[in-house]
Each structure stands twice: as C-alpha cells, then as structure tokens.
C-alpha cells in the first residue's frame, strides 16, 4: 500500500486522506503564481495501519470515549498514556522505506517542517488550528521519522482532546496525516486575514508580520507589525518594537535571538510587499471561495504560502441582488431570541410578516438602508430598534454618523409610512376601551376555528391550508383596530416617561403605573402558574416526587398519589391555555411546554417554595394598588406646578391609556404562537407518517426543511435525506455563531456600546427586563434551559418568556 503522496498529488477534496492542512496545501500548489515549499504527506492510511491497529491505543481510546470536557484530570492522564503508547510503536519497514526513498530526492542537509494535519481540521464548522504539534528545522532521516511519530501522538494532547470533546468530534473518527515540507528560512513571516477578524469587514484585510520564523508570532513572544489594507490602499500601519525573533539552528531545531537594536522599530514589510501580499491573499480567497487565514513567509523577494484555512468566526452576510451598500438589522435581537433558527422555523416566520427578511447564519435580518437614507427614517429607527435596546441604539447612531448610507432629501424617496403612521397614532384620540376585550374574543375565536379546521387536513392539502391561514394571520396581527390598540399603549408609555421626567424628574414612571394591567396574557400566565403551585403545595408527597423525578411522563404518574389527580388536572388545564409557549417561541421548531411539561417543574417548585397560598391574587391586587397610589401621587405633584391642572389632566388621560391598552401589547404574540402550535401539531402528525413509511429517519427531520422543500416531500412522498443531513450540519455551525445587532453588506459588524457615564467602575452593564434593584448572587447561564433553579432565585414566568421574545414589531413597515 502507498502511504506517501506528494503535495502536488492532492487537492482540497482530499481532507480524509491528508487532513485539512494537507488538502489546502495541495490545492495551493495548483494555483498559478502561488509558491508553496516542496514536500509530501504521510497519509491517514499510515495512521490507520499503525496507530489504530495497536491494541493498547484502542483500549485507551475506549477509556476516553465517555469523558466530558470537565473531566480534566482523566483527560490529562489518559491523553498522556495514549501519546506514550503511540510514540513507542515502531514504524513498519514498508513505511520507513517509502519515506526514506522520498527523502532521497532532497539534499541530505535539507531542513524540514514536520506538521500535523488532522481530518477534523480547517473545516468550515470548526478551526483546530494549533491543536496538534508542528516541528521546525528537522534534519536527517531518522529525526524526521521520529517527529512523524511525535505528530501522530500530538493528536492526543490535552488541548486537542478537550477541543474535540467540546465540539462533538469522536476521537476514534479523527485521523492524522503528517506533512513533511522543505523549510523556508525567511527574513519575515506572518499571517494574512483576508477579512478583518476585528470588524468582520470583508473588504478590509489585516496582515501580521514579524522577523524570522512564524513561530514567534504563534507563540506570542513578539508583538507583530499590523497592517490594514482596503481595496489596494494601506489604511493603518502599526509598527511596535520587536525585540525577539526565532531562527533555525545549524544542528536542527530553533532558538530565540534578540533583534538588532537598529531593526527593532523598523517596519517588517515594505509598502510594496504589503500590497503584493494583499493581491496574493485576494487570489487565494477567490480560489477557495471564502475568507482565508493564510500563513506566509518571505525569503529573498519571494512570498511562500505554508497554510490557508477558512476563517470560521465570521458571520455570513445576507445576500443582496445588487452592488449597493446595505445595512441589516437583526430580527432576533428585537425579539430577544438570538438563537439560530432551523429552516422550517425561518420559513414560517418569513411567511408571517409583511416586510421582506433576509437569512444569514440561521438568523433573520431586515434591510434598513432606505430608512437610514432619510431624516424621518432615521428617527423612526431610533424610536423602534433603538427604543428598548441601548446597544442597538448606539450601533444605529454609529452607522448614521459615519453616513455609510448616503443621505437623500425626503422628497426624492418614497415617503416613510412607518414614520407617518407613528405620528398619526401618537396624536390620534384613544379608541374606546371596550375595543380590547372585543379584539381578544375575536382573536380567540380564530384559534378555536383554526383547531377545528386543521384537524381534517393532511398531506399537501395541510400545507396549502397553513399558507392560507398564515395570510389570514398576517391580516389579523396588523388589523388597523388591533394596531390602534397596540400603539395607543406604546405611545402613552413613551409620553408618560418623557413628560414626567421633564416635569418632575421622575424616571420610568410608566413601570409602576403599568403594574397589574388587565388583559396582559403574559402576566396572567405567570400568575396562573402560581395558582398551580397552590394546588401542588397542598400535597407534600407530590412536592417530593416533583423534586426527584426525571420522568418525562410524570403527569401520567400523578394519579397514583394522594392529590395527584387534582394536581394533574391543574397542570393540564394550565397547558391547555399556555402550553404552546416556551422561550424562543418565534421558532416553530422549539419544544413547547405541552410537548415537554417537565420544563415547568422547576418553575412550579420555585413558586411552592417562595410564595404562600393565594399569592397570585394578592400579588395582582398589590400591583394594582401601587399603580393607583403612584397615579394619585404624580397627579398631586403635577398640580403644584405652573399650569398644573392642565399637566395633570393630560397625564391622567395618558395613564388611562396605559391602564386600558398596554395589557393588550402581549396578546398579538400569544395569538401568533397559538397558530404556530396548531400548525406544528398537524405537521408532526405528517412527519410521523413519513417516518413510518421510511421516508425520513426522525419526525424532527422536517425541521431542517424549508416550507417549500416540505411541500415537495409531501407531494412526491420522497425525501432527500442527504439534504436534511447537510442542513443539520449547517444548523450546528449556525448555533456556534454570534449574531450581530447590525451589519453592513461588507460584512462589518457594528455591536454598539453601553453608555457607562452613570455606572460605577467595573460594573457589568446589561439590558434589564424590568426596572428595579435586586441584591444577590448572579449566576451566568448561556441557555435558559441550562439554569439551575435554586430556592434563592426567583424567576417569574413572564420574565422567563420575555427573555425569549418581545412583542410583535409595532409596524408592518419596519
């Protein structure tokens, strides 16, 4: 069997044979005008034949299999044992001969770089750069053979093992090739990032450069020059003092040297070299089709490339059909749900909105370029996107000040309907308060009718029905009367906060005035769960059972216990009304409480521990009393001011609007999610049929299809399982990405900053869900479902839900 391949014999399609690094190097050798040092690969076939066949290694790999990332001591011990076992394996004569014959084509004194190249390396989904070892300036056949074994062993360094565990890679599925490449002795070396790793701007390139071998940069022992280039022009040039470099020694290996004093502050590369390197970088980027992280070295007047890998941290740019500048705003940040959405979740959300939305990285974005072009549009953006999120507001101000989108006169643009509509609603008389209960009943009837109508639908007829209902849902959500009720409460809240701060210095007065509002479905949901806790609290046996159970079917077990039937009925009744909800509920694919009621157990138990019986009613009445008392106090203070009676009259009118209409603000989302849940229940029945027919493996596979793709599956009764698996892998990648609040069509991410003028030093700034001050220990969680619910922590259900969404956008034009 042939274990050796010349670099020119492989290409980017060969990572399984030569690893990610080897495949990319082989691809570089095929490019005109790109120089790559001569070399060859010891393929993964050698690793498989020699390492995987070793009984000791196989046994140790089995010990590694069950470990978690937190098992540090076991990882350290087992990894060390695996490395020792690999380095003791003698290289077979067949491979030894093949390597020696290949080396015979080089001068005996040639120095080589021996580099690891794993199959789980330099992938679009993960960057394993630096996880395995590299050895520089290795001279002599025996030394090269020894360091090949050392490279194989480095697949099991502690950091490599931990990284694979964290990223879900099976240790026994990863193979290692070894690159043996002639060492270039450079006067300078460094890295090219063809997209700016700081701002993510695809038009900006960054180059790091230092004297000597690149190991000095990688190890961090030297501050490198940093050059910023945009479209053929050097826009920034940082040249720090460079006191150390790494050079090869005559006997092999490397050593640190002090840079000559007269050279320490010199620029490593000339401007001509910088611009040449930019052209090389763009050529490589175009060849691979994505932004690249490229390692280079300069010998004489020639650049050599020794690696190119994809930059995996960049967030994808929404696709535009033109070359104009665009600015995209995150939908997820406005919904307070920044998780990646699965394809079906994206499709359903897009079908629910009037405004076109763009997809990137499993998230949705709206193009706000037209609004940024006019004064009224910018004002509308600041009053919508920037109203509730200070980081979005700061990002908007930043992009406005830069004038990334050129300003245009109002009369040369389509009038801004959202701006005009906001002005109209702000100044319009309030609707009759009886409108809110009428709207609620009308909307609830649509849910009842939907559940009746959808029950008989299946196959393509079901999807056609959902499409029709989504059109009706859009009309329902943006019904003029519903919109009037919604905006009346929103504008009244803004008016109260603005005017009472101006007149009385009162901050966020609307927070207290809007306590215990009627018709607030989210608050009612939280109070209803407290009532469920009242039922549970009466039965200590059931409390103990809920504290200990891991049974997802716990509801079925309850009737066997004293009081269990009553508790079962209370929870079931709650789920009948609110079971369609969950954090991140704008994604139809998210698990609902009705689908996994055990999610509610920690919340119920917290209510049991932290409240007395009847607390829900008392809490509501207390909030209402505080709101009325605050109203009386504020009106009395206003009457003491000049024109006090007029100010008090105007304020009273706005307070009444808050009390009558602000509770409705949460209801349109409740209706939308109720529709989504009806769709999901019907779609899952179709998915079960597909599983039984052997068309898909799991019913959740349909989540990884767009609506159109699912229509095709139900029409043809055939599913492309390869497509499903590809979109699953894409979703895994999207989950790891951090979505931006604002990004440009150049890929630049604009994050925004908190105004820290009023904050103590070292204070953590953040976005509060509600006003107030709480003292206690803070616990950081990355996902709500990972929270450990303690008696010392009280999470109300409304806060949990609001941490996963906001109300609908206040305008279809946003």
């Amino acid at each position: 069997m042939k274990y050796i391949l010349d670099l020119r014999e492989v290409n980017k399609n060969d990572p399984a044979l030569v690893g990610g690094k080897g495949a990319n190097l082989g691809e570089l050798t095929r490019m005109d005008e790109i120089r790559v040092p001569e070399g060859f690969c010891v393929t993964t076939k050698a690793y498989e034949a020699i390492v995987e066949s070793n009984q000791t290694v196989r046994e140790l790999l089995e010990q590694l299999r069950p470990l978690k990332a937190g098992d540090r001591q076991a990882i350290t011990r087992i990894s060390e044992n695996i490395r020792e076992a690999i380095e003791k394996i003698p290289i077979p004569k067949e491979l030894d001969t093949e390597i020696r014959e290949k080396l015979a084509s080089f001068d005996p004194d040639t120095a080589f770089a021996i580099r690891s190249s794993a199959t789980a390396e330099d992938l679009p989904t993960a960057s394993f750069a630096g996880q395995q070892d590299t050895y520089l300036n290795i001279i002599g056949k025996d030394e090269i053979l020894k360091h090949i074994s050392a490279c194989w062993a480095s697949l099991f360094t502690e950091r490599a093992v931990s990284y694979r565990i964290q990223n879900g890679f099976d240790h026994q599925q990863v193979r290692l090739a070894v690159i043996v490449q002639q060492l270039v002795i450079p006067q300078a070396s460094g890295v090219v990032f063809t997209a700016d790793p700081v701002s993510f701007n695809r038009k900006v390139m960054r180059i790091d450069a230092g004297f000597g071998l690149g190991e000095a940069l990688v190890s961090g022992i030297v501050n490198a020059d940093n050059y910023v280039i945009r479209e053929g022009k050097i826009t920034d040039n940082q040249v720090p003092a460079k006191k150390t470099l790494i050079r090869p020694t005559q006997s092999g290996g490397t050593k640190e040297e002090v840079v000559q004093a007269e050279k320490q502050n010199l620029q490593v590369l000339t401007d001509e070299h910088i611009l040449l390197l930019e052209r090389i970088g763009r050529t490589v980027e175009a060849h691979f089709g994505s932004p690249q992280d490229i390692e280079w070295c300069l010998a004489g007047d020639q650049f050599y490339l020794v690696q190119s890998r994809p930059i995996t941290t960049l967030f994808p740019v929404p696709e535009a059909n033109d070359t104009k500048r665009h600015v995209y705003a995150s939908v997820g940040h406005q919904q307070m749900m920044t998780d990646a959405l699965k394809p079906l979740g994206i499709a359903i959300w897009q079908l629910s909105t009037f405004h076109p939305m763009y997809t990137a990285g499993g998230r949705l974005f709206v193009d706000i370029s037209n609004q940024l072009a006019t004064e009224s549009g910018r004002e509308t953006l600041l009053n919508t996107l920037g109203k509730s999120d200070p980081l979005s507001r700061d990002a908007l101000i930043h992009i406005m000040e830069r004038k990334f989108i050129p300003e245009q006169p109002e009369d040369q643009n389509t009038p801004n309907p959202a701006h005009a509509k906001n002005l109209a609603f702000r100044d319009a008389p309030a609707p009759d308060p009886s409108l809110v209960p009428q709207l609620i009943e009308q909307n609830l009837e649509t849910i009842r009718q939907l559940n009746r109508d959808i029950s008989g639908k299946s196959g393509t007829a079901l999807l056609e029905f959902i499409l029709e209902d989504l059109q009706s849902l859009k009309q329902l959500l943006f019904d003029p009367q519903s919109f009037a009720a919604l905006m009346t409460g929103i504008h009244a809240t803004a008016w109260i906060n603005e005017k009472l701060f101006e007149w009385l210095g009162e901050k966020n007065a609307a927070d207290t005035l809007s306590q215990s509002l009627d018709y607030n479905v989210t608050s009612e949901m939280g109070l209803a769960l407290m009532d469920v806790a009242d039922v549970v609290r009466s039965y200590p046996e059931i409390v103990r059972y809920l504290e200990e159970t891991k049974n997802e079917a716990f509801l079925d077990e309850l009737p066997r216990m004293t009081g269990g039937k009553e508790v079962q009925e209370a929870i079931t009744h709650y789920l009948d009304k609110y079971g369609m909800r969950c954090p991140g509920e704008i994604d139809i694919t998210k698990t609902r409480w009705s689908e996994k009621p055990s999610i509610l157990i920690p919340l119920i138990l917290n209510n049991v521990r932290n409240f007395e019986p009847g607390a829900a009613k008392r809490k509501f009445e207390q909030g209402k009393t505080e709101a009325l008392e605050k109203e009386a106090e504020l009106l009395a203070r206003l009457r003491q001011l000049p024109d006090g009676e007029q100010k008090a009259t105007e304020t009273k009118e706005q307070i009444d609007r808050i009390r009558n209409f602000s509770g409705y603000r949460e209801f349109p989302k409740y209706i939308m999610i109720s529709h989504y849940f009806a769709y999901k229940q019907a779609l899952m029945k179709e998915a079960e049929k597909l599983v039984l027919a052997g068309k898909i493996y799991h019913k959740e596979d349909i989540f990884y299809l767009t609506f159109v793709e699912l229509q095709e599956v139900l029409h043809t009764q055939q599913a492309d399982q390869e497509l499903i698996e590809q979109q699953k892998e894409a979703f895994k990648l999207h989950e790891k990405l951090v979505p931006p609040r604002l990004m440009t069509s150049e890929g630049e991410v604009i994050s925004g900053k908190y105004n820290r003028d009023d904050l103590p030093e070292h204070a953590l700034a953040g976005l509060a869900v509600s006003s107030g001050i709480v003292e206690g220990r803070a616990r950081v969680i990355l996902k709500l479902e990972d929270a450990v619910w303690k008696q010392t922590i009280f999470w109300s259900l409304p806060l949990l839900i609001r941490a996963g969404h906001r109300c609908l956008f206040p305008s279809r034009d946003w």
Side-chain angles (χ1 to χ4, degrees):
M1 178 181 290
K2 185 178 180 181
Y3 292 124
I4 303 296
L5 287 174
D6 191 275
L7 282 176
R8 297 182 184 278
E9 295 181 86
V10 299
N11 59 43
K12 63 183 178 182
N13 299 317
D14 294 324
L17 189 60
V18 294
K21 189 183 281 102
N24 289 350
L25 273 172
E27 189 69 23
L28 288 172
T29 65
R30 297 165 179 267
M31 295 178 61
D32 295 337
E33 300 180 3
I34 300 298
R35 296 212 175 187
V36 177
E38 294 291 328
F40 60 91
C41 293
V42 181
T43 68
T44 56
K45 297 295 184 184
Y47 175 87
E48 292 173 11
I50 297 163
V51 176
E52 292 186 356
S53 63
N54 184 274
Q55 181 66 27
T56 302
V57 173
R58 288 206 306 269
E59 290 174 359
L60 289 168
L61 285 173
E62 284 300 321
Q63 295 178 31
L64 207 57
R65 185 190 294 275
L67 298 184
K68 307 298 182 187
D71 301 327
R72 299 299 297 275
Q73 289 185 342
I75 290 173
T76 300
R77 175 176 51 80
I78 298 171
S79 298
E80 184 177 351
N81 291 339
I82 294 175
R83 293 196 303 276
E84 288 179 359
I86 291 174
E87 291 191 21
K88 288 179 181 177
I89 301 173
I91 292 182
K93 182 174 179 56
E94 182 182 1
L95 177 60
D96 183 287
T97 301
E98 196 171 342
I99 292 173
R100 290 179 185 274
E101 288 178 353
K102 189 67 178 178
L103 291 172
S105 62
F106 294 89
D107 186 285
D109 295 326
T110 300
F112 288 90
I114 315 295
R115 310 173 73 194
S116 307
S117 180
T119 54
E121 181 177 74
D122 298 342
L123 304 174
T125 54
S127 176
F128 286 75
Q131 298 300 323
Q132 287 83 46
D133 289 344
T134 290
Y135 303 96
L136 301 179
N137 197 31
I138 308 303
I139 303 171
K141 296 176 182 179
D142 291 341
E143 284 297 307
I144 289 169
L145 288 165
K146 183 175 77 172
H147 283 86
I148 288 172
S149 291
C151 277
W152 287 335
S154 74
L155 188 60
F156 296 96
T157 61
E158 182 181 348
R159 67 178 181 273
V161 169
S162 297
Y163 193 77
R164 286 197 295 273
I165 291 173
Q166 290 167 359
N167 286 274
F169 285 86
D170 186 341
H171 305 293
Q172 299 193 48
Q173 297 300 316
V174 179
R175 309 284 186 268
L176 194 84
V178 179
I179 300 167
V180 180
Q181 196 172 18
Q182 186 172 351
L183 182 69
V184 173
I185 311 300
Q187 69 257 32
S189 55
V191 182
V192 173
F193 298 98
T194 65
D196 186 355
V198 178
S199 70
F200 295 171
N201 194 320
R202 268 63 163 185
K203 290 186 178 294
V204 173
M205 181 181 290
R206 283 185 182 265
I207 298 174
D208 292 338
F211 295 120
L213 291 169
E215 189 179 357
L217 274 68
V218 174
S219 60
I221 66 171
V222 64
N223 292 323
D225 284 5
N226 182 259
Y227 318 124
V228 180
I229 310 96
R230 181 186 173 101
E231 297 176 324
K233 295 182 179 179
I234 301 170
T235 60
D236 193 18
N237 190 339
Q238 302 294 323
V239 182
K242 296 165 287 292
K243 298 182 179 180
T244 306
L245 59 77
I246 293 179
R247 287 201 187 282
T249 66
Q250 286 188 345
S251 58
T254 60
K255 67 175 182 178
E256 290 185 22
E257 288 185 4
V258 175
V259 177
Q260 296 173 1
E262 63 272 18
K263 291 183 61 177
Q264 290 182 1
N265 293 295
L266 292 181
Q267 183 171 306
V268 173
L269 296 180
T270 66
D271 288 357
E272 291 77 12
H273 277 144
I274 292 170
L275 296 179
L276 172 59
L277 199 49
E278 184 209 19
R279 292 194 294 275
I280 291 172
R282 291 294 178 217
T283 300
V284 173
E285 178 184 62
H287 183 85
F288 282 99
S290 66
Q292 297 288 300
D293 166 357
I294 303 167
E295 296 177 20
W296 57 268
C297 53
L298 177 65
D301 207 33
Q302 181 66 55
F303 281 107
Y304 292 85
L305 303 190
V306 294
Q307 176 58 352
S308 185
R309 62 176 67 89
I311 303 176
T312 60
T313 55
L314 299 175
F315 197 88
V317 182
E319 291 187 10
N321 296 322
D322 55 48
T323 57
K324 296 179 181 178
R325 287 183 168 187
H326 295 268
V327 176
Y328 302 97
S330 164
V331 173
H333 282 89
Q334 290 301 303
Q335 291 295 314
M336 294 185 76
M337 205 292 278
T338 57
D339 291 351
L341 282 74
K342 299 181 182 72
L344 187 61
I346 289 174
I348 294 293
W349 181 255
Q350 286 177 315
L351 290 167
S352 304
T353 179
F354 282 96
H355 199 289
M357 292 188 179
Y358 298 83
T359 306
R363 277 78 169 186
L364 288 164
F365 295 84
V366 289
D367 187 344
I368 60 172
S369 308
N370 288 338
Q371 290 95 320
L372 286 170
T374 66
E375 184 177 352
S376 63
R378 293 191 292 274
E379 181 183 343
T380 299
L381 288 172
L382 290 173
N383 287 327
T384 51
L385 277 73
K387 196 71 174 180
S388 54
D389 180 6
L391 293 183
S392 291
R393 183 178 183 84
D394 187 71
L396 282 167
I397 291 171
H398 178 75
I399 200 73
M400 290 173 187
E401 289 176 345
R402 279 177 45 191
K403 297 184 179 179
F404 181 81
I405 301 297
E407 297 180 19
Q408 300 180 31
E410 297 279 351
D411 59 358
Q412 292 183 13
N413 293 271
T414 303
N416 187 332
H419 181 70
K421 191 177 295 184
N422 276 327
L423 290 176
F425 276 112
R426 187 181 66 188
D427 300 329
D432 190 303
S434 64
L435 175 63
V436 170
Q438 292 173 17
L439 288 170
I440 288 174
E441 180 52 36
Q442 290 171 11
N443 280 271
L444 290 175
E445 177 55 31
T446 68
I447 298 300
R448 293 189 284 267
Q449 186 64 46
L450 169 62
N451 287 322
R452 288 192 293 268
D453 293 343
I454 203 171
S455 61
K457 302 292 188 296
S458 64
T460 56
L462 169 62
L463 270 67
E464 290 169 4
F465 174 82
I466 290 174
L467 279 175
E468 292 175 4
D469 192 75
L470 280 166
Q471 293 303 312
S472 301
L473 176 61
K474 285 201 291 189
Q475 298 297 331
L476 197 69
L477 294 174
F478 296 104
D479 171 76
Q481 286 188 309
S482 177
F483 191 75
L486 187 71
M487 294 306 296
T488 297
I490 290 173
H491 283 306
T493 297
W495 190 97
I496 286 290
N497 284 337
E498 179 185 337
K499 293 296 184 182
L500 293 188
F501 181 73
E502 177 187 339
W503 292 338
L504 299 175
E506 186 80 24
K507 289 185 177 180
N508 301 316
D511 288 354
T512 303
L513 295 169
S514 59
Q515 289 186 150
S516 298
L517 296 172
D518 291 329
Y519 311 118
N520 187 322
V521 66
T522 303
S523 295
E524 290 170 356
M525 177 179 64
L527 296 173
L529 198 66
M530 294 171 70
D531 290 335
V532 172
D534 285 350
V535 179
V536 173
R537 189 185 292 106
S538 303
Y539 303 103
E541 180 187 3
I542 292 178
V543 173
R544 288 193 297 272
Y545 170 73
L546 293 179
E547 288 174 336
E548 297 171 0
T549 186
K550 304 295 182 184
N551 187 358
E552 291 296 338
F554 75 96
L555 281 174
D556 297 333
E557 300 294 321
L558 290 175
R560 301 177 185 178
M561 291 169 263
T562 302
K565 186 169 179 57
E566 185 180 355
V567 171
Q568 184 191 54
E569 289 176 353
I571 296 175
T572 301
H573 177 72
Y574 182 87
L575 291 172
D576 288 342
K577 190 168 184 179
Y578 304 110
M580 79 293 293
R581 310 207 74 169
C582 66
E585 60 194 3
I586 65 170
D587 182 355
I588 193 175
T589 72
K590 289 279 189 178
T591 301
R592 312 286 147 168
W593 294 335
S594 284
E595 297 169 327
K596 190 177 181 181
S598 61
I599 296 172
L600 294 175
I601 290 177
L603 299 168
I604 294 171
L605 292 174
N606 265 299
N607 286 342
V608 168
R609 298 181 188 115
N610 289 291
F611 295 100
E612 296 297 325
K617 183 177 180 180
R618 290 194 302 273
K619 187 176 178 65
F620 184 83
E621 292 302 325
Q622 178 186 351
K624 192 170 185 179
T625 298
E626 290 174 0
L628 294 175
E629 289 175 350
K630 188 66 174 180
E631 175 184 332
E633 174 212 326
L634 293 170
L635 295 178
R637 289 166 62 190
L638 286 170
R639 291 189 180 100
Q640 305 302 313
L641 301 177
D643 299 323
E645 285 298 330
Q646 177 65 27
K647 288 182 172 68
T649 299
E650 293 175 0
T651 299
K652 172 60 176 170
E653 180 181 347
Q654 297 298 328
I655 291 174
D656 288 346
R657 291 186 178 193
I658 289 176
R659 301 295 305 174
N660 291 327
F661 295 99
S662 287
Y664 181 72
R665 182 174 181 174
E666 304 277 350
F667 194 76
K669 173 61 74 69
Y670 175 82
I671 291 300
M672 185 182 77
I673 299 307
S674 297
H675 278 253
Y676 278 15
F677 188 51
Y679 305 156
K680 185 179 183 183
Q681 288 178 302
L683 289 171
M684 294 311 285
K685 290 178 182 177
E686 294 300 306
E688 288 172 359
K689 295 177 188 177
L690 291 170
V691 172
L692 289 173
K695 306 301 181 184
I696 58 176
Y697 299 146
H698 311 284
K699 61 183 181 180
E700 292 79 10
D701 284 353
I702 69 168
F703 296 160
Y704 299 94
L705 297 170
T706 66
F707 196 89
V708 172
E709 290 166 349
L710 182 56
Q711 279 183 309
E712 183 67 16
V713 169
L714 293 181
H715 175 69
T716 63
Q717 286 298 295
Q718 296 295 325
D720 185 344
Q721 195 64 43
E722 185 177 349
L723 172 65
I724 291 171
E725 295 304 319
Q726 287 173 355
Q727 296 186 165
K728 283 183 180 180
E729 289 302 312
F731 177 73
K732 290 179 183 177
L733 168 61
H734 296 157
E735 282 187 301
K736 298 175 183 179
L737 298 174
V738 178
R741 281 173 164 78
L742 228 63
M743 73 183 307
T744 72
S745 49
E746 296 178 352
E748 181 182 4
V749 168
I750 302 155
S751 301
K753 296 179 181 179
Y754 287 108
N755 182 348
R756 302 184 60 89
D757 292 346
D758 297 330
L759 292 177
E761 188 177 4
H762 305 307
L764 294 177
L767 180 61
V769 179
S770 61
S771 62
I773 297 174
V774 175
E775 291 186 5
R777 177 177 293 178
R779 290 180 173 86
V780 177
I781 56 171
L782 300 180
K783 293 183 179 179
L784 290 172
E785 56 265 34
D786 294 338
V788 178
W789 307 96
K790 304 271 188 180
Q791 186 167 353
T792 54
I793 303 175
F794 166 62
W795 271 81
S796 72
L797 202 56
L799 292 187
L800 179 60
I801 282 291
R802 288 190 185 112
H805 81 89
R806 282 197 182 124
C807 72
L808 289 173
F809 300 133
S811 169
R812 72 173 68 185
D813 304 296
W814 185 82

